[in-house]
Amino acid sequence: MTKVRAPDFDLKKTLESGQVFHWERDGARFFGAIGDRAALVEQRGELLLTNGDETVIRNYFALDHRLREICASFPKDDAMNAAQQFCRGLRIIRQPKWECLATFICSSMKQVVHIRQISHALRERFGERRKINTRVVYTFPSADRIAASSEKELRQCALGYRAKNLLATARRVAHGGVDLEQLSILSDADLRSRLCELPGVGAKVANCVMLFGYERLRAFPIDVWIERVLRAKYFSRARKLNAGRLRAFTERYFGDQGGYAQQYLFHHARMTKTKARGKGKRGRFVTLSPVK
DNA sequence: CTCCAGGGATGAT
DNA sequence: ATCATCCATGGA
């Protein structure tokens, strides 16, 4: 058992905020894998690690991010203030690049609970089995392993049409000349366009991979949740609002720590959704104006 | 610009 | 027990 001091960190919020999908909670304990290593982590003031390497944990949970400075840099508005208060201690973690890319390819058109099932199915079928404290966890399968599978096998993991995309991208990463580590040297714009060349990767998935796998803290993924928040809180009177305008706004308004701002707004919106729900059959936010 | 694929949980009736 | 809704990429 290793103890790690972790101020300004909330393990539960971090692992349950929709940035990573394989951790399983049992009370206050989280079972999972960090790269190829099984991990059991619990927060009781300090972090308590079983089979944990302090250096690995500090890096994975980004305990070196200067969270107070990041939060202090957020724009001061009602939505951001509420999200910031709600998400205290939530950190953007550093995920292995392939695992992050593959998982977010599987995330398209899926909800969090579903993405977790897919992640688990892929791990159980193609990953490596590890035991920790009588529990079994699985590592995420390598690109080589996925590339060696078939679309049919992937579909059996409930991937649907994503199976073809995941297989094609795995092949490019395994032996198709795409070196995910090497992409780290690129600028944000170049990295984004290279990621978007991969099958199953559009702007939203690319931004997730940049943020969670490449530590590009400016990246601002816009999914339906965030779009609802932006429309309701920052564009309540806007008539025409397309993807380009939204992107321009988020880049300018949220700036260098936009990824953190996005994650806080996202998690806060999701966790308070029942209150925000309207009674009408079609509206989640009654204040929203129709788009097109 | 619009429409659709594919699918399992979730919520509404 | 049905029925509608959630979800984002890529192609038509």
Side-chain angles (χ1 to χ4, degrees), chain A residues 115-132:
Chain A
I115 303 167
R116 291 180 60 86
Q117 290 169 357
I118 292 174
S119 167
H120 190 256
L122 287 174
R123 287 169 183 271
E124 196 167 6
R125 178 139 189 178
F126 302 110
E128 289 173 25
R129 183 187 171 93
R130 303 266 192 269
K131 270 195 174 166
I132 185 160

Side-chain angles (χ1 to χ4, degrees), chain A residues 9-23:
Chain A
F9 178 64
D10 188 316
L11 179 68
K12 185 168 186 292
K13 283 198 168 67
T14 298
L15 292 182
E16 295 185 345
S17 63
Q19 59 178 317
V20 63
F21 302 95
H22 71 281
W23 290 90

Side-chain angles (χ1 to χ4, degrees), chain A residues 210-225:
Chain A
M210 289 173 67
L211 181 58
F212 305 129
Y214 285 85
E215 205 180 3
R216 302 301 173 100
L217 300 185
R218 284 190 65 98
F220 196 106
I222 299 178
D223 73 329
V224 291
W225 287 99

Side-chain angles (χ1 to χ4, degrees), chain A residues 84-279:
Chain A
Q84 185 179 338
Q85 191 162 353
F86 185 86
C87 296
R88 186 150 296 160
L90 197 171
R91 287 172 187 262
I92 304 283
I93 70 175
R94 293 188 181 96
Q95 300 184 38
K97 293 177 176 59
W98 162 249
E99 175 179 325
C100 184
L101 171 62
T103 304
F104 277 95
I105 286 174
C106 298
S107 79
S108 88
M109 198 73 186
K110 285 289 183 193
Q111 283 153 294
V112 169
V113 57
H114 246 154
I115 303 167
R116 291 180 60 86
Q117 290 169 357
I118 292 174
S119 167
H120 190 256
L122 287 174
R123 287 169 183 271
E124 196 167 6
R125 178 139 189 178
F126 302 110
E128 289 173 25
R129 183 187 171 93
R130 303 266 192 269
K131 270 195 174 166
I132 185 160
N133 256 30
T134 76
R135 281 186 69 140
V136 173
V137 300
Y138 296 86
T139 63
F140 194 84
S142 66
D144 283 353
R145 182 66 191 87
I146 298 284
S149 74
S150 66
E151 184 181 332
K152 183 173 175 226
E153 286 179 295
L154 293 177
R155 280 183 175 269
Q156 286 167 354
C157 297
L159 267 75
Y161 67 86
R162 300 158 200 81
K164 191 185 291 283
N165 293 333
L166 181 62
L167 183 58
T169 291
R171 285 175 175 163
R172 291 206 204 173
V173 172
H175 47 252
V178 173
D179 183 337
L180 294 181
E181 293 302 328
Q182 190 63 31
L183 297 184
S184 297
I185 64 171
L186 298 176
S187 66
D188 283 1
D190 289 345
L191 174 59
R192 183 176 293 112
S193 55
R194 291 294 298 277
L195 289 172
C196 284
E197 292 171 1
L198 300 170
V201 181
K204 193 269 179 182
V205 170
N207 278 322
C208 287
V209 176
M210 289 173 67
L211 181 58
F212 305 129
Y214 285 85
E215 205 180 3
R216 302 301 173 100
L217 300 185
R218 284 190 65 98
F220 196 106
I222 299 178
D223 73 329
V224 291
W225 287 99
I226 283 298
E227 189 168 332
R228 279 174 208 148
V229 172
L230 294 177
R231 285 180 188 279
K233 307 291 184 182
Y234 302 101
F235 290 92
S236 55
R237 312 172 320 282
R239 289 270 173 139
K240 303 184 292 187
L241 192 55
N242 55 27
R245 267 193 77 193
L246 269 183
R247 178 166 39 78
F249 168 76
T250 58
E251 283 178 13
R252 175 177 55 76
Y253 188 73
F254 295 102
D256 283 345
Q257 314 298 339
Y260 260 98
Q262 178 275 157
Q263 196 63 19
Y264 281 30
L265 291 171
F266 174 86
H267 188 55
H268 182 236
R270 273 176 37 82
M271 292 301 105
T272 56
K273 64 175 173 180
T274 48
K275 289 184 177 181
R277 252 186 188 310
K279 288 197 290 188

